[in-house]
Amino acid sequence: MSGIFKSMKRVLTGRVVQRTDLHIMNGTCAISFRMKRDSEDAYVVLACTSAGNRQYYPFERSEFESFVAAAIEIKDALDSGIAQDQV
């Protein structure tokens, strides 16, 4: 199965086994991380919903781990004041 079809299948199918939602932009945008499971594996889908728009981004496990590592790197930079020094 090609990558694009596998990605589409993961967005549309699979069972949500855990979900974390948060709202940004004064509540006008909802972001949902959904851990899903199918007959092959567990994976994560990031769903973004705003006025009239929905986007879905499926992650392989390794891609999600890289995403989390990048987010932690940015958080650490914010916490250390690097952002202040760069302005």
Side-chain angles (χ1 to χ4, degrees), residues 21 41 46 49 66 68-69 76 80:
D21 299 326
D41 198 10
L46 169 65
T49 305
S66 295
V68 170
D76 290 346
S80 71

Side-chain angles (χ1 to χ4, degrees), residues 6 12 23 36-37 54 61-62 78-79 85:
K6 183 177 181 181
L12 299 172
H23 291 85
K36 296 180 83 175
R37 183 174 305 283
R54 290 185 183 195
R61 182 182 299 258
S62 63
L78 286 169
D79 291 345
D85 297 338

Side-chain angles (χ1 to χ4, degrees), residues 20-59:
T20 300
D21 299 326
L22 62 113
H23 291 85
I24 61 171
M25 299 171 45
N26 292 325
T28 62
C29 182
I31 297 174
S32 175
F33 284 101
R34 302 167 185 182
M35 186 173 89
K36 296 180 83 175
R37 183 174 305 283
D38 63 15
S39 60
E40 299 173 19
D41 198 10
Y43 53 94
V44 174
V45 174
L46 169 65
C48 301
T49 305
S50 60
N53 186 26
R54 290 185 183 195
Q55 298 287 322
Y56 298 92
Y57 305 96
F59 290 84

